[in-house]
Amino acid sequence: MSEKVLQYNKPSLQGSLTVPGDKSVSHRSVMFGSIATGTTTVEGFLLGEDCLSTIDCFQKLGVHIEVEGTSVKIESPGMDSWQEPTEVLYTGNSGTTTRLMLGILAGSSVHSVMTGDASIGKRPMRRVIDPLRQMGAHITGRADGQYTPLAIQGTKLQAIEYNMPVASAQVKSAILLAGLRAEGTTIVRETEVSRDHTERMLRQFGADVEVKDGVVSLEGGQALSGTHVSVPGDISSAAFFLVAGAICHNSQLTLENVGVNPTRDGIIEVLSKMGATMTVMPNDNSQAEPTATIQIQTSTLSGTTIEGDMIPRLIDEIPILALLATQAHGQTIIKDAEELKVKETDRITAVVAELKKLGANIEATNDGMIIEGPTPLKGASLKTYGDHRIGMMGAVAALMTEGPVTLDDAQCIAVSYPSFFEHIEAVR
């Protein structure tokens, strides 16, 4: 672990930033480029540890992948020519890699074993494995497949119709990726729409996917062809600077090329509801993922309620939104967010515990939290729980505190935002 002491003395933040590439899109660009036949080029790739784990897994399957800066070139002969890996596929801290790989490997022609770090070893996998087993997948693992390590024997699959019990892009994507290799039409029904990066990228690689009224349909046996992918800036990473710009005094920040996919833009809607002084300027988009330039400045904020179908659109931003709420006038309620309990850590418990150390007036509930503000924050020693988003929340809090903030493990932030502290220095 890498302890880091942060003392910023309440700076005003000024300037422009381009945040790293979207993590979800970066993962999928490598996955789809490896499934496809031919050459795929990717620009704006996120060089975070999670996405590098995805590259490593496919290299072990015999896919030729070159990385030069934030550009990636993938040359794949297609899934039927993959090599059976001689080593365990190690997914690190990446839930996306682990869960989506299950869907891909289930319909492959290889046998593989997959595991991750200690955090992944605690995260539930049956939510993915159960529908895959309904399709005929042969997957075994600890606690009957609830936890890694997992062994996957690729086999022929049958399409299913699946009603999603919880909004999860990872579960939906795993089923759809298995559906590519299944006999028949795979249908996934959502009651709350989750991230649609997989559906968009399937089309980009030449697949026919139908999406209507929360129902996604995919005919099996479709072949993908290599293409070019331009990765937008990650809105979940941008969220930390959007919040910093809103709560730090005399601040004005511009964030360039931010992905504003409508299944991911909940942070923008919440900031607007709370009264943030913010301008969103859409770019001329020809790519599958829409982008925008976002300007934000110091704002007088009011508490709000974040609930229901908003939650899947900002599930990864809730830690930083909780910090934002400590500086808003009145009460902020976050509910319907039980999914936070099965992230890198139990983020409800972790966020409340660490913000309390800073002096926040915050209480946990069964499905979220209640925050009263505004509250002056003080320095403290914080745990990150090895969770990149908790770590970045603590670092942004340090911009507001009287006294230093110590993070017990700042290195975990490199999972999604390797240049995070450099970017803080660039604008303070």
Side-chain angles (χ1 to χ4, degrees), residues 22 25-34 39-46 55 65-74 201 204-205 227-232:
D22 187 283
V25 177
S26 294
H27 278 305
R28 286 163 174 79
S29 68
V30 172
M31 292 176 180
F32 283 70
S34 298
T39 301
T40 294
T41 53
V42 185
E43 63 174 327
F45 186 82
L46 171 63
I55 287 178
I65 303 175
E66 296 176 5
V67 181
E68 188 173 333
T70 58
S71 297
V72 178
K73 185 177 181 181
I74 305 147
M201 196 170 285
Q204 196 173 356
F205 277 81
T227 188
H228 176 73
V229 179
S230 180
V231 181

Short mmCIF file of all heavy atoms in Angstrom, two decimals, residues 22 25-34 39-46 55 65-74 201 204-205 227-232:
data_model
loop_
_atom_site.label_atom_id
_atom_site.label_comp_id
_atom_site.label_asym_id
_atom_site.label_seq_id
_atom_site.Cartn_x
_atom_site.Cartn_y
_atom_site.Cartn_z
N ASP A 22 -12.72 6.46 -21.24
CA ASP A 22 -13.78 5.76 -20.52
C ASP A 22 -13.37 4.31 -20.25
O ASP A 22 -13.00 3.57 -21.17
CB ASP A 22 -15.07 5.81 -21.35
CG ASP A 22 -16.25 5.26 -20.61
OD1 ASP A 22 -16.36 4.03 -20.51
OD2 ASP A 22 -17.09 6.05 -20.13
N VAL A 25 -15.76 1.65 -22.03
CA VAL A 25 -15.54 1.58 -23.47
C VAL A 25 -14.17 0.99 -23.78
O VAL A 25 -14.01 0.20 -24.72
CB VAL A 25 -15.72 2.98 -24.12
CG1 VAL A 25 -15.42 2.93 -25.62
CG2 VAL A 25 -17.13 3.50 -23.89
N SER A 26 -13.16 1.32 -22.97
CA SER A 26 -11.81 0.77 -23.19
C SER A 26 -11.82 -0.74 -23.04
O SER A 26 -11.27 -1.47 -23.88
CB SER A 26 -10.82 1.41 -22.21
OG SER A 26 -10.65 2.79 -22.47
N HIS A 27 -12.42 -1.24 -21.94
CA HIS A 27 -12.54 -2.69 -21.78
C HIS A 27 -13.15 -3.33 -23.02
O HIS A 27 -12.64 -4.31 -23.57
CB HIS A 27 -13.47 -3.00 -20.61
CG HIS A 27 -12.85 -2.95 -19.26
ND1 HIS A 27 -11.73 -3.66 -18.91
CD2 HIS A 27 -13.22 -2.28 -18.14
CE1 HIS A 27 -11.44 -3.43 -17.64
NE2 HIS A 27 -12.33 -2.59 -17.15
N ARG A 28 -14.29 -2.81 -23.42
CA ARG A 28 -15.06 -3.43 -24.50
C ARG A 28 -14.34 -3.34 -25.84
O ARG A 28 -14.47 -4.22 -26.68
CB ARG A 28 -16.46 -2.80 -24.57
CG ARG A 28 -17.37 -3.25 -23.42
CD ARG A 28 -18.58 -2.32 -23.27
NE ARG A 28 -19.54 -2.80 -22.28
CZ ARG A 28 -19.40 -2.67 -20.96
NH1 ARG A 28 -18.31 -2.08 -20.47
NH2 ARG A 28 -20.33 -3.11 -20.13
N SER A 29 -13.56 -2.27 -26.05
CA SER A 29 -12.84 -2.15 -27.33
C SER A 29 -11.88 -3.32 -27.51
O SER A 29 -11.74 -3.87 -28.61
CB SER A 29 -12.11 -0.81 -27.40
OG SER A 29 -11.03 -0.74 -26.47
N VAL A 30 -11.21 -3.72 -26.42
CA VAL A 30 -10.28 -4.85 -26.49
C VAL A 30 -11.05 -6.16 -26.63
O VAL A 30 -10.69 -7.05 -27.42
CB VAL A 30 -9.36 -4.88 -25.26
CG1 VAL A 30 -8.52 -6.15 -25.23
CG2 VAL A 30 -8.45 -3.66 -25.26
N MET A 31 -12.12 -6.31 -25.87
CA MET A 31 -12.91 -7.54 -25.94
C MET A 31 -13.50 -7.75 -27.33
O MET A 31 -13.38 -8.83 -27.91
CB MET A 31 -14.04 -7.48 -24.90
CG MET A 31 -13.55 -7.53 -23.47
SD MET A 31 -14.91 -7.33 -22.29
CE MET A 31 -14.02 -7.41 -20.74
N PHE A 32 -14.12 -6.72 -27.87
CA PHE A 32 -14.77 -6.85 -29.17
C PHE A 32 -13.73 -6.97 -30.28
O PHE A 32 -13.93 -7.72 -31.24
CB PHE A 32 -15.69 -5.65 -29.43
CG PHE A 32 -16.99 -5.71 -28.70
CD1 PHE A 32 -17.04 -5.56 -27.32
CD2 PHE A 32 -18.17 -5.93 -29.37
CE1 PHE A 32 -18.22 -5.62 -26.63
CE2 PHE A 32 -19.38 -5.99 -28.69
CZ PHE A 32 -19.40 -5.83 -27.31
N GLY A 33 -12.61 -6.24 -30.14
CA GLY A 33 -11.54 -6.38 -31.14
C GLY A 33 -10.95 -7.77 -31.14
O GLY A 33 -10.49 -8.26 -32.18
N SER A 34 -10.94 -8.43 -29.98
CA SER A 34 -10.40 -9.79 -29.88
C SER A 34 -11.39 -10.83 -30.39
O SER A 34 -10.99 -11.85 -30.96
CB SER A 34 -10.03 -10.10 -28.43
OG SER A 34 -9.03 -9.22 -27.97
N THR A 39 -8.36 -6.42 -38.01
CA THR A 39 -7.61 -5.43 -37.23
C THR A 39 -8.56 -4.40 -36.63
O THR A 39 -9.41 -3.85 -37.32
CB THR A 39 -6.58 -4.71 -38.12
OG1 THR A 39 -5.69 -5.68 -38.66
CG2 THR A 39 -5.79 -3.68 -37.33
N THR A 40 -8.39 -4.14 -35.34
CA THR A 40 -9.11 -3.08 -34.65
C THR A 40 -8.10 -2.09 -34.09
O THR A 40 -7.10 -2.49 -33.49
CB THR A 40 -9.96 -3.65 -33.50
OG1 THR A 40 -11.00 -4.46 -34.04
CG2 THR A 40 -10.60 -2.54 -32.67
N THR A 41 -8.34 -0.81 -34.32
CA THR A 41 -7.49 0.24 -33.75
C THR A 41 -8.31 1.04 -32.75
O THR A 41 -9.49 1.33 -32.98
CB THR A 41 -6.93 1.17 -34.85
OG1 THR A 41 -8.02 1.67 -35.64
CG2 THR A 41 -5.97 0.41 -35.75
N VAL A 42 -7.68 1.40 -31.67
CA VAL A 42 -8.35 2.13 -30.59
C VAL A 42 -7.53 3.36 -30.26
O VAL A 42 -6.32 3.29 -30.07
CB VAL A 42 -8.49 1.24 -29.32
CG1 VAL A 42 -9.29 1.96 -28.25
CG2 VAL A 42 -9.12 -0.11 -29.66
N GLU A 43 -8.20 4.52 -30.16
CA GLU A 43 -7.51 5.73 -29.70
C GLU A 43 -8.19 6.23 -28.42
O GLU A 43 -9.38 6.07 -28.24
CB GLU A 43 -7.54 6.82 -30.78
CG GLU A 43 -8.92 7.33 -31.16
CD GLU A 43 -8.86 8.50 -32.13
OE1 GLU A 43 -7.91 9.29 -32.03
OE2 GLU A 43 -9.77 8.61 -32.96
N GLY A 44 -7.39 6.83 -27.55
CA GLY A 44 -7.92 7.34 -26.28
C GLY A 44 -8.10 6.26 -25.23
O GLY A 44 -8.83 6.44 -24.26
N PHE A 45 -7.41 5.13 -25.39
CA PHE A 45 -7.56 3.99 -24.47
C PHE A 45 -7.11 4.37 -23.07
O PHE A 45 -6.13 5.09 -22.88
CB PHE A 45 -6.72 2.83 -24.99
CG PHE A 45 -6.88 1.54 -24.23
CD1 PHE A 45 -7.94 0.69 -24.49
CD2 PHE A 45 -5.97 1.18 -23.25
CE1 PHE A 45 -8.09 -0.50 -23.80
CE2 PHE A 45 -6.10 -0.02 -22.55
CZ PHE A 45 -7.17 -0.86 -22.83
N LEU A 46 -7.82 3.88 -22.06
CA LEU A 46 -7.46 4.11 -20.67
C LEU A 46 -6.36 3.15 -20.24
O LEU A 46 -6.56 1.93 -20.22
CB LEU A 46 -8.68 3.92 -19.76
CG LEU A 46 -8.40 3.92 -18.26
CD1 LEU A 46 -7.83 5.27 -17.80
CD2 LEU A 46 -9.65 3.58 -17.47
N ILE A 55 -6.39 -6.55 -21.45
CA ILE A 55 -5.43 -6.83 -22.52
C ILE A 55 -4.63 -8.09 -22.22
O ILE A 55 -4.46 -8.96 -23.08
CB ILE A 55 -4.48 -5.62 -22.72
CG1 ILE A 55 -5.23 -4.47 -23.40
CG2 ILE A 55 -3.25 -6.01 -23.54
CD1 ILE A 55 -4.40 -3.21 -23.59
N ILE A 65 -1.87 -8.02 -29.48
CA ILE A 65 -2.30 -6.67 -29.07
C ILE A 65 -1.06 -5.83 -28.81
O ILE A 65 -0.17 -6.22 -28.05
CB ILE A 65 -3.17 -6.72 -27.79
CG1 ILE A 65 -4.39 -7.62 -28.01
CG2 ILE A 65 -3.62 -5.31 -27.41
CD1 ILE A 65 -5.25 -7.82 -26.78
N GLU A 66 -0.99 -4.67 -29.48
CA GLU A 66 0.11 -3.74 -29.29
C GLU A 66 -0.42 -2.46 -28.65
O GLU A 66 -1.47 -1.94 -29.04
CB GLU A 66 0.76 -3.38 -30.63
CG GLU A 66 1.42 -4.55 -31.34
CD GLU A 66 1.96 -4.15 -32.71
OE1 GLU A 66 1.90 -2.93 -33.03
OE2 GLU A 66 2.43 -5.02 -33.44
N VAL A 67 0.31 -1.95 -27.66
CA VAL A 67 -0.07 -0.71 -26.98
C VAL A 67 1.04 0.31 -27.19
O VAL A 67 2.21 0.05 -26.89
CB VAL A 67 -0.29 -0.94 -25.47
CG1 VAL A 67 -0.70 0.36 -24.78
CG2 VAL A 67 -1.32 -2.03 -25.24
N GLU A 68 0.68 1.48 -27.70
CA GLU A 68 1.62 2.58 -27.87
C GLU A 68 0.96 3.86 -27.37
O GLU A 68 0.07 4.40 -28.02
CB GLU A 68 2.02 2.73 -29.34
CG GLU A 68 3.14 3.74 -29.54
CD GLU A 68 3.66 3.77 -30.97
OE1 GLU A 68 3.56 2.74 -31.67
OE2 GLU A 68 4.16 4.82 -31.37
N GLY A 69 1.37 4.31 -26.18
CA GLY A 69 0.67 5.43 -25.56
C GLY A 69 -0.77 5.03 -25.27
O GLY A 69 -1.03 3.98 -24.70
N THR A 70 -1.69 5.88 -25.69
CA THR A 70 -3.12 5.57 -25.50
C THR A 70 -3.74 4.98 -26.77
O THR A 70 -4.96 4.93 -26.89
CB THR A 70 -3.90 6.83 -25.07
OG1 THR A 70 -3.75 7.84 -26.07
CG2 THR A 70 -3.40 7.35 -23.74
N SER A 71 -2.88 4.53 -27.68
CA SER A 71 -3.36 3.85 -28.89
C SER A 71 -3.13 2.35 -28.75
O SER A 71 -2.09 1.92 -28.27
CB SER A 71 -2.64 4.37 -30.14
OG SER A 71 -2.91 5.74 -30.34
N VAL A 72 -4.11 1.58 -29.18
CA VAL A 72 -4.04 0.13 -29.10
C VAL A 72 -4.39 -0.46 -30.47
O VAL A 72 -5.33 0.01 -31.12
CB VAL A 72 -5.00 -0.43 -28.03
CG1 VAL A 72 -4.95 -1.96 -27.98
CG2 VAL A 72 -4.67 0.14 -26.65
N LYS A 73 -3.62 -1.47 -30.88
CA LYS A 73 -3.90 -2.18 -32.13
C LYS A 73 -4.12 -3.65 -31.80
O LYS A 73 -3.28 -4.27 -31.14
CB LYS A 73 -2.74 -2.02 -33.10
CG LYS A 73 -2.98 -2.63 -34.48
CD LYS A 73 -1.80 -2.36 -35.40
CE LYS A 73 -2.00 -2.93 -36.79
NZ LYS A 73 -0.83 -2.67 -37.66
N ILE A 74 -5.24 -4.18 -32.24
CA ILE A 74 -5.61 -5.56 -31.96
C ILE A 74 -5.73 -6.31 -33.27
O ILE A 74 -6.48 -5.91 -34.16
CB ILE A 74 -6.96 -5.62 -31.21
CG1 ILE A 74 -6.90 -4.76 -29.95
CG2 ILE A 74 -7.35 -7.06 -30.87
CD1 ILE A 74 -8.21 -4.12 -29.58
N MET A 201 -21.46 -0.82 -29.11
CA MET A 201 -20.23 -1.33 -29.72
C MET A 201 -20.49 -2.56 -30.57
O MET A 201 -19.81 -2.78 -31.59
CB MET A 201 -19.18 -1.62 -28.65
CG MET A 201 -17.79 -1.77 -29.24
SD MET A 201 -16.47 -1.82 -28.03
CE MET A 201 -16.37 -0.11 -27.55
N GLN A 204 -21.20 -1.17 -33.78
CA GLN A 204 -20.00 -0.59 -34.37
C GLN A 204 -19.14 -1.68 -35.03
O GLN A 204 -18.47 -1.43 -36.05
CB GLN A 204 -19.21 0.13 -33.27
CG GLN A 204 -18.16 1.08 -33.78
CD GLN A 204 -17.53 1.88 -32.65
OE1 GLN A 204 -17.93 1.77 -31.49
NE2 GLN A 204 -16.53 2.68 -32.97
N PHE A 205 -19.16 -2.89 -34.47
CA PHE A 205 -18.39 -4.00 -35.02
C PHE A 205 -19.19 -4.84 -36.02
O PHE A 205 -18.73 -5.89 -36.44
CB PHE A 205 -17.86 -4.89 -33.88
CG PHE A 205 -16.60 -4.37 -33.25
CD1 PHE A 205 -16.64 -3.37 -32.30
CD2 PHE A 205 -15.37 -4.89 -33.61
CE1 PHE A 205 -15.49 -2.89 -31.70
CE2 PHE A 205 -14.20 -4.43 -33.02
CZ PHE A 205 -14.25 -3.42 -32.06
N THR A 227 -12.60 -2.86 -36.49
CA THR A 227 -12.98 -1.50 -36.85
C THR A 227 -12.13 -0.52 -36.05
O THR A 227 -11.17 -0.91 -35.37
CB THR A 227 -14.48 -1.28 -36.58
OG1 THR A 227 -14.88 -0.01 -37.11
CG2 THR A 227 -14.81 -1.31 -35.10
N HIS A 228 -12.46 0.77 -36.12
CA HIS A 228 -11.76 1.80 -35.34
C HIS A 228 -12.67 2.28 -34.22
O HIS A 228 -13.84 2.56 -34.45
CB HIS A 228 -11.37 2.98 -36.23
CG HIS A 228 -10.72 4.10 -35.46
ND1 HIS A 228 -9.44 4.02 -34.97
CD2 HIS A 228 -11.20 5.31 -35.06
CE1 HIS A 228 -9.14 5.14 -34.32
NE2 HIS A 228 -10.20 5.93 -34.36
N VAL A 229 -12.11 2.38 -33.01
CA VAL A 229 -12.87 2.84 -31.85
C VAL A 229 -12.19 4.07 -31.26
O VAL A 229 -10.99 4.06 -30.98
CB VAL A 229 -12.96 1.74 -30.75
CG1 VAL A 229 -13.73 2.26 -29.54
CG2 VAL A 229 -13.61 0.49 -31.31
N SER A 230 -12.96 5.15 -31.10
CA SER A 230 -12.47 6.35 -30.43
C SER A 230 -13.10 6.39 -29.04
O SER A 230 -14.32 6.47 -28.90
CB SER A 230 -12.87 7.60 -31.24
OG SER A 230 -12.40 8.77 -30.61
N VAL A 231 -12.26 6.31 -28.02
CA VAL A 231 -12.76 6.22 -26.64
C VAL A 231 -12.96 7.64 -26.08
O VAL A 231 -12.01 8.43 -26.05
CB VAL A 231 -11.77 5.44 -25.75
CG1 VAL A 231 -12.31 5.34 -24.32
CG2 VAL A 231 -11.52 4.05 -26.33
N PRO A 232 -14.16 7.97 -25.62
CA PRO A 232 -14.37 9.29 -25.02
C PRO A 232 -13.78 9.37 -23.62
O PRO A 232 -13.45 8.34 -23.01
CB PRO A 232 -15.91 9.40 -24.97
CG PRO A 232 -16.36 7.99 -24.81
CD PRO A 232 -15.38 7.15 -25.60
#
